[in-house]
Amino acid sequence: MSERSEFRDLGMDRRIDRRDFLNGVAIGLGAVSTGLHARPASASEARQTGQSLSADAYPPRRLGLRGQHATAVEAFGAIQSGTFAAFPGIDVDTRETYDLVIVGGGLSGLSAAYFWQKALGAGQRVLILDNHDDFGGHAKRNEFVYNGRTYLSFGGTMSIATPYPYSYMSKRLVEDLGVDVTKNAEVTSRELFDTYGLGPSTFFDKEHFGEDRLVVGTGRLPWDQFFAKAPLSEAARKDLIRLYGENPDYMAELSVEQKLATLDKISYQEFLLKYARMSPDALPFFLGQGGRNNKRVDTTPALEAARRGSVGFDGLGLPKEEQFRQGSYTFHFPDGNASIARLLVSRMMPKAIPGTHDMHSIVRAAVEYGKLDDDASNVRVRLNSTVTRVAHDGAVDNADVVKVAYLRDGRMHQVRGRNVVLACYNAMIPNLAPELPAAQREALAYSVKVPMLYTNVLIRRWTAFKQLGVASINAPGMYHPSNSLDPGTTVGGYRGMTTPEEPIVVHMVRNPNQPGLKRKEQNRIGQQELRTMKFEEFELSIRRQFARMLAGTNFDPAVDIVGMAVNRWPDGYSYTYDTLADPDVPPEQRPHVIGRQRFGRIAIANSDAGAAAFTNQAFDEAHRAVQEILVSRGLA
Ligand SMILES: Cc1cc2nc3c(=O)[nH]c(=O)nc-3n(C[C@H](O)[C@H](O)[C@H](O)COP(=O)(O)OP(=O)(O)OC[C@H]3O[C@@H](n4cnc5c(N)ncnc54)[C@H](O)[C@@H]3O)c2cc1C
């Protein structure tokens, strides 16, 4: 097939809901999708007309390349290469002085503002600066409108895990925001798919398995029947059936203590190949399977895999606690944790999100983006503002304020904060504040965030999924290994459920990596991939993948794909430590602990400062940072 006819067949020439923000840059909203109409320009106008907002007035409606969209990160390279080591020349001195300036409007930055006001009162003036066109950081909302109906989705962090890992502070904050996590079962229903008999499946691709084949029933069919249907060599099939069944003790010559010590120092892959004697032919089956924090089969310590309940360890006779399957149920809004960001904003900036909101009403609450940075409000969020430098105005111990320089509309601005919380990325902080002690800068630069790609594709019907009997497709060798139908979260008047003849969002996830290298190296390569790939390249790979996974059904990528949001996060999950990649040092000597020390009037929040990629970490680190300033300045 010629490239041109493939493009046409896949629908690359179709006008769908994605190209109005090609590579993050507006190219004119005339090019809107089928089923879309001219939209009102403000939330109040939208309320009056009952229509959804236009993408220029309302960032969640911007589709195409989202997440860290191009304009948001265009100054990051200059910051990271030390361009602003000397405090930059200022084009616009706003002459504003805030009680607190926060760098980063993710869940950590927003909650820092909330904790600050809780401690010192609503009269405190707080400015939050963020480089994106929307607030929330990873808590990103994607909104599709098709034939008059709105479909919500999450472009980043999806769920609140509860109750086990949450600190007292974080639990109280979630409650203060009116979220009752025990209600998850009421709002998110996977029964919808059970009604149609849809379940998990695996797509074996020809590049890794010799031919394209979808096998339905992963984990539901007895494993011997499942692998019998898969295109595998006889050796691989036999090994996989053994691994997924009763395993012998592959380390019989070792004591339990020796087993634990060995598993701690080898990768899961090494365990599978060397100890479980799995044929290398079977390895591609494990490609898409990540561990916690998206460690892969080659970077997950075997002991971590065993504790997670991965296959192959059941004959080892490990103590029960070494085999428990981690996990807790989760609360999930249709737009993921973007609703948490919205609840925080509504509590602090009632003009931006009018009304008193809880977990129900927030989902459809109108957001006046024009009121986020309002003179009359004590808490303000200033978007599209990339902070390039922060410095005490004078000696650290004597300065009354911290100067904060930020780029907005191509011009260098300056505000002052009596206090500053850096709720951005640890690895960037050494360049934002080069006055920090050398050991602290080195510690902050230690972590390499995990790159993540969360793609949302709106399809106009899911009859093909029904025809195949699948609700999710694990495609170990494909560009997006994880593919699943939206579970249909229905809350606060938003109806996420659809019937197979109606549209649905398909979530596709990729953690770009380069198997075989050290974990940090893999992360760096993955970050580079996400930073450099063009939207059209993502789109082509998505369309090709749909065509292959759903081959033989009535699915036609050219007409069935009606919207696309590719949320790229080169700066994704916070880095976490493990026994393969990081030195074994006491907890207080970990780089994130050394890195997050307060420096004069500057404190450090964000989930990197907790070395864990979770909502509660974002909150806990915000609380700690605020507390450090309050105590050190005698403000509490
Ligand atoms: C794809 C994805 C899925 C996830 N899923 C979950 C989940 O389901 N559950 C969960 O608990 N956690 C999840 N996480 C982890 C998530 O990172 C945390 O839960 C939390 O949202 C992090 O909040 P934060 O404020 O620390 O960081 P961020 O959300 O990254 O916010 C930091 C903000 O600072 C901004 N910033 C950086 N540098 C500058 C600068 N120089 N100037 C101005 N602004 C700057 C950033 O752009 C960003 O907006 C997920 C993360 C990703 C990437």
Side-chain angles (χ1 to χ4, degrees):
M1 197 193 318
S2 76
E3 194 175 90
R4 184 177 297 203
S5 74
E6 190 206 13
F7 271 39
R8 209 180 34 247
D9 287 354
L10 291 174
M12 287 294 289
D13 56 341
R14 299 283 172 134
R15 294 169 68 199
I16 64 156
D17 205 0
R18 92 290 201 190
R19 288 219 180 84
D20 37 352
F21 276 81
L22 254 191
N23 298 317
V25 181
I27 57 162
L29 293 162
V32 290
S33 77
T34 328
L36 295 174
H37 312 284
R39 299 191 192 289
S42 73
S44 45
E45 194 188 323
R47 266 197 308 276
Q48 281 159 22
T49 60
Q51 278 187 285
S52 59
L53 280 161
S54 71
D56 50 353
Y58 186 64
R61 281 279 303 115
R62 295 178 190 162
L63 301 170
L65 197 61
R66 294 298 288 162
Q68 290 179 291
H69 58 87
T71 47
V73 292
E74 60 192 5
F76 275 17
I79 295 172
Q80 293 294 50
S81 60
T83 307
F84 307 107
F87 201 88
I90 299 300
D91 303 313
V92 182
D93 187 341
T94 66
R95 304 200 173 281
E96 299 160 296
T97 302
Y98 290 88
D99 295 305
L100 178 65
V101 173
I102 298 172
V103 180
L107 293 181
S108 199
L110 292 170
S111 59
Y114 184 82
F115 291 133
W116 185 271
Q117 284 220 318
K118 271 261 173 198
L120 298 182
Q124 290 284 303
R125 297 192 68 237
V126 181
L127 175 68
I128 301 166
L129 296 163
D130 196 280
N131 56 317
H132 287 102
D133 59 13
D134 204 348
F135 57 87
H138 293 155
K140 172 85 73 190
R141 173 166 165 136
N142 291 158
E143 230 174 83
F144 297 90
V145 180
Y146 182 71
N147 283 342
R149 181 169 165 187
T150 298
Y151 300 86
L152 299 182
S153 195
F154 47 94
T157 168
M158 172 192 177
S159 57
I160 305 171
T162 185
Y164 166 65
Y166 271 59
S167 68
Y168 169 80
M169 277 314 306
S170 290
K171 279 186 185 163
R172 287 298 83 79
L173 175 55
V174 171
E175 282 167 19
D176 281 2
L177 296 178
V179 180
D180 180 353
V181 289
T182 64
K183 296 274 195 294
N184 193 44
E186 287 173 30
V187 303
T188 306
S189 164
R190 294 208 174 255
E191 282 152 30
L192 171 67
F193 301 132
D194 293 340
T195 319
Y196 293 101
L198 312 189
S201 65
T202 302
F203 179 72
F204 296 86
D205 65 303
K206 68 171 177 298
E207 294 85 341
H208 295 88
F209 300 94
E211 65 173 279
D212 279 0
R213 200 186 296 173
L214 185 79
V215 181
V216 181
T218 321
R220 292 200 173 172
L221 279 182
W223 285 107
D224 54 343
Q225 289 177 32
F226 173 80
F227 287 121
K229 297 182 182 195
L232 294 163
S233 70
E234 269 323 301
R237 193 187 324 278
K238 238 176 83 208
D239 284 347
L240 284 167
I241 292 170
R242 168 171 53 89
L243 280 166
Y244 278 85
E246 282 280 299
N247 288 277
D249 185 351
Y250 299 118
M251 305 174 107
E253 73 287 3
L254 302 181
S255 68
V256 168
E257 288 67 34
Q258 287 169 327
K259 285 176 187 172
L260 294 175
T262 307
L263 293 173
D264 210 25
K265 292 287 165 229
I266 61 170
S267 70
Y268 184 31
Q269 177 170 311
E270 203 175 337
F271 170 78
L272 290 171
L273 294 176
K274 271 200 197 154
Y275 289 87
R277 303 219 166 270
M278 187 186 79
S279 145
D281 288 1
L283 201 55
F285 184 71
F286 292 86
L287 272 180
Q289 298 183 22
R292 174 148 283 180
N293 206 237
N294 267 343
K295 288 171 210 162
R296 324 300 302 182
V297 65
D298 60 329
T299 51
T300 304
L303 187 57
E304 213 174 294
R307 285 177 169 153
R308 225 191 34 231
S310 303
V311 297
F313 300 97
D314 55 356
L316 264 56
L318 299 179
K320 274 264 178 304
E321 68 271 20
E322 300 298 347
Q323 286 188 313
F324 81 99
R325 190 179 284 271
Q326 288 182 1
S328 57
Y329 68 88
T330 56
F331 185 86
H332 164 209
F333 283 105
D335 60 356
N337 290 339
S339 278
I340 301 284
R342 288 175 164 224
L343 282 166
L344 281 162
V345 168
S346 78
R347 293 289 189 276
M348 297 184 287
M349 287 161 263
K351 283 196 177 146
I353 306 187
T356 308
H357 293 289
D358 62 9
M359 60 181 263
H360 300 284
S361 59
I362 196 63
V363 176
R364 297 202 310 156
V367 182
E368 299 279 359
Y369 277 81
K371 296 277 168 58
L372 284 171
D373 191 6
D374 187 36
D375 273 344
S377 174
N378 282 335
V379 179
R380 302 166 72 160
V381 177
R382 193 162 294 162
L383 297 171
N384 303 304
S385 302
T386 306
V387 173
T388 53
R389 189 71 160 86
V390 295
H392 287 87
D393 195 3
V396 178
D397 295 334
N398 300 327
D400 293 328
V401 291
V402 177
K403 300 181 293 178
V404 179
Y406 64 93
L407 266 172
R408 188 179 158 84
D409 297 331
R411 296 201 298 166
M412 196 65 76
H413 291 62
Q414 177 173 285
V415 293
R416 291 169 183 78
R418 291 188 189 90
N419 306 282
V420 166
V421 166
L422 300 178
C424 46
Y425 306 145
N426 269 9
M428 188 182 280
I429 292 175
N431 285 310
L432 296 181
E435 289 81 13
L436 288 171
Q440 186 172 0
R441 279 187 277 130
E442 194 186 328
L444 285 162
Y446 181 84
S447 68
V448 180
K449 276 177 163 292
V450 182
M452 294 295 298
L453 185 64
Y454 265 30
T455 295
N456 290 316
V457 178
L458 186 73
I459 57 173
R460 72 184 174 126
R461 55 185 179 170
W462 43 288
T463 45
F465 285 81
K466 186 180 158 212
Q467 198 179 333
L468 292 167
V470 305
S472 64
I473 305 175
N474 171 38
M478 297 297 281
Y479 191 74
H480 286 88
S482 163
N483 310 275
S484 44
L485 295 177
D486 184 84
T489 310
T490 294
V491 57
Y494 172 76
R495 189 166 65 87
M497 300 280 195
T498 70
T499 64
E501 289 72 32
E502 292 176 302
I504 200 168
V505 172
V506 182
H507 299 290
M508 306 172 79
V509 177
R510 173 176 175 77
N511 158 233
N513 58 82
Q514 180 79 59
L517 299 178
K518 296 258 181 236
R519 187 154 62 93
K520 281 190 189 177
E521 256 331 286
Q522 296 204 27
N523 288 355
R524 287 198 187 96
I525 288 172
Q527 291 177 338
Q528 192 56 13
E529 174 187 311
L530 295 187
R531 287 190 183 116
T532 50
M533 237 170 109
K534 300 237 173 325
F535 177 75
E536 294 85 342
E537 296 172 283
F538 288 115
E539 179 176 0
L540 184 58
S541 100
I542 291 162
R543 287 179 179 278
R544 281 182 173 148
Q545 185 166 339
F546 265 97
R548 288 174 62 180
M549 293 189 310
L550 303 179
T553 67
N554 64 1
F555 190 84
D556 179 352
V559 293
D560 285 330
I561 292 176
V562 291
M564 213 179 263
V566 175
N567 296 278
R568 63 166 192 191
W569 301 106
D571 298 296
Y573 289 166
S574 295
Y575 185 81
T576 52
Y577 307 107
D578 69 55
T579 53
L580 294 185
D582 305 288
D584 184 16
V585 296
E588 66 281 5
Q589 286 172 26
R590 289 285 192 203
H592 71 289
V593 178
I594 298 169
R596 71 188 181 201
Q597 302 305 308
R598 180 183 56 82
F599 180 66
R601 289 170 180 258
I602 302 172
I604 294 173
N606 94 70
S607 52
D608 291 351
F614 291 103
T615 312
N616 55 320
Q617 234 73 34
F619 293 158
D620 287 349
E621 294 307 314
H623 187 258
R624 178 196 44 74
V626 165
Q627 178 77 357
E628 281 176 4
I629 295 179
L630 297 181
V631 170
S632 69
R633 303 233 17 250
L635 295 170

